[in-house]
Amino acid sequence: MPFAEDELIYLAEPNGKKHWMKVSFEMLKIASLGTIDGSRLKGLDDGDVITVAGKEFTAFRPGTIELIESLERGAQIITPKDASTILLYTDVKAGDKVLEIGAGSGALTTTLLRAVSDTGHVHTVEFKEENALRALRNVRRTGLDKNWTYQIGDARTVKVEYDADALIMDMPDPEKALDNLFPCLRPGGRICAYIPNTNQLELIVNALRERKCSDIHAYENIQREMEVHQGGVRPSFSMLGHTAYLVFARKRNI
């Protein structure tokens, strides 16, 4: 399907550098590339090649990982290696309702919104208004904001009226918010806590056990890219190591 006006796409150079733009069929200014005649984008589709100022680019629709990479950053984001695990273990899918604690810069929010699609919804409780506004700018940029709401408050005490299929918490003391948030999660619903330190890991796991949750598991993801060259393959010298611990559980109907 050809690109539509106002659709967010990027032009990729052979070296991987991306130039982001909203499609317009009039004169169009692209940061770092200058002004081009947008009518040249008419009829182009995902993966088509366009030449600008004698240089070849490939036009792509962004996937979730490209959207995360291009966000306006403020607070530390939940990285794709962790976000993908969160999606799998909380079973977030089209039509689901997700209660997210902590917007950050909106990376996980974007991931969740892509997963629940047009028939689902994400509601975020964020302690800092500046984080929520940054996340809102990022979500609006992707066109996913119609399925997102947020409120400002302390997740440990703020009144939340929501009926969630999944509860995902990115906060330093999630165990202190459980009593306030548990009524918002349906029986059988899935829980995720994202915490950076082992002492926090112990506290949330014990708190989930005290509340008779089921299927409690804790993980750490470490990811290293492979460098493939002509005649030789080796692991990269750098890797994406510890970012946080991921704790998962399910709410029982007791």
Side-chain angles (χ1 to χ4, degrees), residues 24 30 122 133 174 218 253:
S24 171
I30 305 174
V122 176
L133 293 176
N253 190 13

Side-chain angles (χ1 to χ4, degrees), residues 129-252:
E129 187 167 12
E130 62 182 293
N131 286 347
L133 293 176
R134 183 185 301 108
L136 177 60
R137 290 194 296 272
N138 282 324
V139 170
R140 277 180 175 165
R141 173 175 169 267
T142 65
L144 299 169
D145 52 296
K146 62 184 179 299
N147 297 99
W148 185 54
T149 53
Y150 73 89
Q151 67 183 101
I152 305 299
D154 186 336
R156 297 171 296 182
T157 57
V158 69
K159 183 175 177 58
V160 182
E161 296 183 356
Y162 203 66
D163 183 19
D165 298 292
L167 167 63
I168 301 173
M169 300 177 286
D170 177 10
M171 58 184 293
D173 51 0
E175 72 284 351
K176 294 181 180 179
L178 287 178
D179 286 341
N180 185 43
L181 300 175
F182 247 42
C184 301
L185 181 66
R186 67 167 175 82
R190 299 174 189 263
I191 305 152
C192 170
Y194 183 85
I195 59 270
N197 300 314
T198 53
N199 60 316
Q200 297 167 318
L201 171 65
E202 181 181 17
L203 288 171
I204 184 60
V205 167
N206 285 334
L208 291 167
R209 287 172 176 164
E210 289 168 3
R211 287 159 181 80
K212 309 301 182 184
C213 289
S214 183
D215 298 337
I216 302 172
H217 300 283
Y219 301 96
E220 178 186 35
N221 287 336
I222 295 175
Q223 188 176 73
R224 183 163 63 175
E225 188 175 2
M226 301 297 293
E227 295 191 1
V228 181
H229 305 286
Q230 192 69 32
V233 178
R234 64 168 177 80
S236 172
F237 290 130
S238 61
M239 71 176 181
L240 189 55
H242 176 75
T243 45
Y245 299 106
L246 299 167
V247 178
F248 299 99
R250 295 194 75 174
K251 179 181 176 180
R252 298 172 62 203

